[in-house]
Amino acid sequence: MSPQGSADEPLRLVNSVLLPGFHGTEPPAWLLDAVDAGLAGVVYFAHNVPDPKTAAALSATLHARRADLIVASDEEGGDVTRLEAATGSSYPGNGALGEVDDTDVTERVARAIGHDLRAAGIGLNLAPDVDVNADPDNPVIGIRAFGSDAALVARHSAAYVTGLQSAGVAACAKHFPGHGDTAVDSHLRVPQLDADLDLLRRRDLRPFTAAIEAGSRCLMTGHIKALPFGEAPASLNPEAARLAREELGFTGAIVTDALDMGAVLAEPGFGPACVQAVLGGADLLCLGNPSSAEAAESAYRAARDALLDAVARGVLPTDRLIDAGRRARELAEWIRRARATPPPPKEDTLPLAVARTALRVRGNVALSSPPYVIDLRQRVNHASGSRAPHLNQLLAEAMPGLTATGVPPEGPTAARADTALGDSDGRPVVVIAREPHRDAAETALLRELVARRPDAVVVLTGWPHAVDALAANTVVTYGSARVNALAAVERLLGGTPHGS
């Protein structure tokens, strides 16, 4: 590091709290320059890591530039994956793990995910999601949560942290103080968590407490307005950081959710949000997923310049940056030490066994011939995408002659049903849905389809309450990962049922 007081010291202090994204599978020149000037780390997205070999090579290049660089990514398993975005995750996500409700299994799955991350040179996983999914209409958490019961979520959060970190990868519990009881997607605007401090402690904070007690090295604050903290979102709010540190006893690094999300992008704006986040107690700023190479460089420069300007104007004390940088370095040092220790063996057969156990099957779901598949999934989930194709693809491979269709996004329910059913007469019908309960029109269409074809099999990739009153023949997978699809297709082909 440069001598204290040198001309580039403010730049190094500012860089020490930044986690930018970038485009491509090779680090651009601006990123390498920032690494040389003290950048804390980088965050990988799917476009950076199209396959394990590429991911490992990219990480090796970055670590050759500086060995203590933090390399982070979101690898929750289930619906949210970066390393397996092209094929779908090999691991069941939190919804399936919570349904199985075996903390030993959760620990082992998290350890296996850690193995994959470690092989890719990724030392910080921005997971687990420890939100309590208290609002069934939640548009962005949903099946990413272990469940809606705080005690269940807490015990699985702790197990996930333990398993992941036993593989030498740092965990990051998110989205503090809890994104589960909200009905707004923070990728678009600011959600409001209408819970007083007592309810927060009894429900939303329990999993964070469990994750911290299990040793989670990192905690992610969400862009969530929480009633006890006032108007500023938790990610920019010193009261949220104070609660985490003073009441929950967290001593690790606090990282923000992506600062390019709509919840903070419009107000206060990207640059001001970066400054407010550091002032609010964040130690690392996740700058987000850039839409292009130019956007990536622009975001880094905007964050850097906003922080430098705040330091120059005396708005941002250097002591706050020094403190934040210290925690970032402690995290990097933990990752370095952990990676020097061989992890326990990886269990390759476990994920499919878990996905099979998590399946909830009701009625007659075995298909006698290639089906007519109607995919109702149209809504985009900004964390995990819209329509995972794995179930459709696997079913088509297993049953040549399958016909697949979607539905018109608008129009009278009867007309949409006519279009969807097409020439399905005499063929088994499979309807795929994800969150029909969140859309009255989708619920009405699903009800109409089942009324016309009571023998239809509804495959739901979300929570079972969405189809409980709508269909007699159901397969609930608790997630859209490839491994969930494998288990579902096995059951549709007449395999032994694993749920009830």
Side-chain angles (χ1 to χ4, degrees):
M1 180 174 285
S2 303
Q4 187 70 26
S6 66
D8 67 346
E9 190 64 20
L11 176 61
R12 300 193 74 87
L13 287 174
V14 163
N15 275 335
S16 73
V17 303
L18 297 181
L19 288 175
F22 63 98
H23 249 252
T25 58
E26 296 183 1
W30 67 264
L31 182 65
L32 294 176
D33 288 344
V35 170
D36 293 343
L39 190 71
V42 298
V43 180
Y44 288 169
F45 294 93
H47 49 78
N48 301 122
V49 287
D51 58 74
K53 183 178 179 181
T54 301
L58 174 58
S59 297
T61 298
L62 288 168
H63 284 132
R65 194 76 174 204
R66 210 181 78 227
D68 64 345
L69 189 75
I70 296 170
V71 176
S73 195
D74 291 275
E75 196 66 33
E76 297 178 15
D79 289 23
V80 179
T81 176
R82 307 301 185 221
L83 290 175
E84 297 186 284
T87 60
S89 180
S90 300
Y91 300 99
N94 288 2
L97 292 170
E99 173 64 14
V100 172
D101 196 13
D102 183 329
T103 53
D104 179 62
V105 164
T106 295
E107 182 178 333
R108 289 156 60 195
V109 167
R111 184 178 299 122
I113 291 173
H115 271 269
D116 291 355
L117 290 167
R118 184 164 167 166
I122 297 169
L124 170 62
N125 190 9
L126 301 177
D129 187 318
V130 308
D131 298 308
V132 179
N133 197 55
D135 186 342
D137 289 335
N138 193 303
V140 70
I141 302 304
I143 208 69
R144 297 167 64 199
F146 290 110
S148 58
D149 177 77
L152 179 147
V153 176
R155 61 179 175 265
H156 286 278
S157 298
Y160 195 110
V161 168
T162 299
L164 184 66
Q165 295 193 163
S166 71
V169 175
C172 182
K174 63 186 183 186
H175 308 82
F176 189 83
H179 205 330
D181 194 19
T182 61
V184 170
D185 183 350
S186 54
H187 291 84
L188 303 176
R189 60 187 192 276
V190 185
Q192 176 75 45
L193 182 59
D194 292 321
D196 60 21
L197 197 52
D198 180 61
L199 179 55
L200 276 180
R201 288 176 176 136
R202 287 187 287 108
R203 185 189 63 192
D204 302 273
L205 295 179
R206 285 184 67 180
F208 288 100
T209 300
I212 290 168
E213 290 177 350
S216 185
R217 303 304 306 179
C218 199
L219 181 151
M220 177 183 284
T221 47
H223 305 314
I224 306 154
K225 287 186 181 180
L227 193 63
F229 305 150
E231 285 300 304
S235 52
L236 315 181
N237 197 318
E239 287 303 307
R242 183 202 60 77
L243 179 66
R245 299 227 182 266
E246 296 180 13
E247 184 167 327
L248 275 60
F250 182 64
T251 59
I254 293 177
V255 61
T256 66
D257 206 346
L259 289 164
D260 63 347
M261 291 164 60
V264 296
L265 199 57
E267 178 60 40
F270 183 73
C274 292
V275 175
Q276 289 185 30
V278 178
L279 287 171
D283 305 304
L284 290 165
L285 307 185
C286 175
L287 302 187
N289 185 5
S291 58
S292 66
E294 294 75 19
E297 183 175 0
S298 177
Y300 162 71
R301 293 187 184 281
R304 179 200 65 188
D305 293 349
L307 294 175
L308 285 171
D309 179 67
V311 171
R313 291 187 293 113
V315 173
L316 178 57
T318 56
D319 285 352
R320 172 77 272 272
L321 286 170
I322 290 169
D323 186 51
R326 172 184 60 80
R327 289 199 180 92
R329 288 191 299 276
E330 288 173 352
L331 174 62
E333 177 59 19
W334 183 93
I335 294 169
R336 186 193 66 78
R337 292 197 310 269
R339 288 179 65 84
T341 304
K346 181 179 177 181
E347 301 175 73
D348 291 325
T349 60
L350 177 65
L352 181 56
V354 176
R356 287 169 174 163
T357 304
L359 279 185
R360 172 174 160 172
V361 179
R362 184 174 65 181
N364 180 18
V365 302
L367 301 174
S368 57
S369 60
Y372 188 92
V373 177
I374 303 170
D375 197 334
L376 301 186
R377 297 172 297 172
Q378 298 179 42
R379 187 181 301 105
V380 171
N381 183 299
H382 291 91
S384 55
S386 53
R387 182 183 297 182
H390 323 304
L391 178 63
N392 315 52
Q393 292 171 351
L394 291 169
L395 199 53
E397 292 169 7
M399 303 189 85
L402 171 151
T403 299
T405 186
V407 295
E410 298 177 348
T413 299
R416 295 176 75 206
D418 288 339
T419 301
L421 286 167
D423 60 353
S424 62
D425 288 350
R427 302 180 62 180
V429 170
V430 174
V431 182
I432 305 175
R434 181 179 184 173
E435 298 172 323
H437 64 290
R438 292 190 51 236
D439 187 318
E442 187 173 331
T443 298
L445 177 57
L446 179 56
R447 193 183 302 275
E448 180 73 13
L449 292 172
V450 172
R452 296 188 187 194
R453 289 294 304 265
D455 62 326
V457 177
V458 177
V459 180
L460 183 78
T461 63
W463 298 112
H465 63 77
V467 295
D468 277 346
L470 297 178
N473 307 312
T474 58
V475 177
V476 180
T477 66
Y478 295 91
S480 298
R482 183 176 177 83
V483 71
N484 300 115
L486 281 167
V489 168
E490 178 183 76
R491 184 65 187 94
L492 292 170
L493 296 179
T496 304
H498 300 281
S500 60

